[in-house]
Amino acid sequence: NVLYSYGKLGAPPEPQLMQALLLRSCDQLPEFTPQGLANSVWALARLGVAPGPRWLGGFMEVSFAAMPAMNAQELSNTVWALSRLRHRPDTMWVGRLDRESEDKLGEYAPQNLSNTLHALATFRYAPSADWQRAFLRQLSVQLHRMTPVQVADTMWAIAELSLPVQPSLLTSMVTAVTADITSVTSTELVSVLCAMVKLGV
């Protein structure tokens, strides 16, 4: 859709055009495919455009119903975008995300894993025990493919949500961050150090 195209470009349209796009898309949200929903909210987050309560309210209602049909990428992009827009979903919405994403965690790419857990920590939502176990299994498989920044963000989220991570996995994560420490910002490094203290590393 048009919003997604602007999101890929990383440059928002003129304010009047953006307002027109939001008004038009708000009325059409019930007709969007799961991919269209995820792409639209991702684009808004990437552009740093707050869509307003009417658009977000409609999106939350439609996306709640669409979640069972979303794939791993779409679920991850949606929850990441909501966290970037500083919109905290209600417990019912994030609970459905918990259930729908659990069986798909094996399909999550490294960035999807990092973004999803970071978003949940931002929402201060602790996922179910089954979800946590599935996430940590996938994290151990994907860790070697993650960038130091992704690992740093994941460590912060693990500490915030008190996930039952094994010491060996934590050690591997610290090693992954320090392997290319110049790519990690000072803020991210502080987050890692705080996470290490919380997790007893």
Side-chain angles (χ1 to χ4, degrees):
N1 58 34
V2 179
L3 280 175
Y4 181 69
S5 298
Y6 278 110
K8 291 287 283 186
L9 290 171
E14 293 296 320
Q16 285 185 330
L17 177 55
M18 175 58 77
Q19 186 64 25
L21 287 171
L22 287 172
L23 285 172
R24 183 172 177 80
S25 63
C26 186
D27 294 333
Q28 295 178 337
L29 282 171
E31 303 169 24
F32 279 27
T33 64
Q35 183 182 35
L37 289 168
N39 286 350
S40 296
V41 75
W42 173 88
L44 291 172
R46 188 160 191 267
L47 294 171
V49 174
R54 181 170 175 263
W55 195 98
L56 271 175
F59 175 84
M60 298 307 293
E61 181 178 346
V62 176
S63 63
F64 179 83
M67 259 192 273
M70 286 185 174
N71 63 29
Q73 183 73 50
E74 291 157 1
L75 288 168
S76 175
N77 284 356
T78 298
V79 72
W80 171 84
L82 291 174
S83 70
R84 286 293 298 266
L85 292 171
R86 303 183 189 282
H87 181 77
R88 185 178 182 179
D90 62 30
T91 303
M92 186 177 293
W93 193 98
V94 77
R96 170 164 277 193
L97 174 77
D98 185 326
R99 296 188 299 275
E100 296 299 335
S101 61
E102 182 186 332
D103 292 338
K104 297 171 184 169
L105 285 171
E107 304 167 28
Y108 275 42
Q111 186 173 7
N112 299 145
L113 289 172
S114 177
N115 285 352
T116 298
L117 194 69
H118 195 275
L120 293 177
T122 302
F123 301 150
R124 300 196 181 282
Y125 175 84
S128 67
D130 288 342
W131 193 99
Q132 293 182 31
R133 284 191 289 269
F135 176 88
L136 291 171
R137 282 197 301 272
Q138 185 64 6
L139 176 61
S140 65
V141 171
Q142 296 279 18
L143 182 59
H144 71 284
R145 298 178 54 210
M146 297 178 82
T147 67
V149 172
Q150 290 167 355
V151 177
D153 287 345
T154 304
M155 281 191 68
W156 173 83
I158 285 174
E160 287 296 302
L161 296 175
S162 302
L163 265 59
V165 59
Q166 293 295 318
S168 58
L169 180 55
L170 274 178
T171 300
S172 296
M173 294 180 77
V174 172
T175 301
V177 172
T178 56
D180 186 14
I181 203 165
T182 57
S183 67
V184 181
T185 67
S186 57
T187 301
E188 289 160 344
L189 187 56
V190 168
S191 293
V192 169
L193 293 173
C194 290
M196 291 171 65
V197 171
K198 280 188 177 182
L199 296 167
V201 178

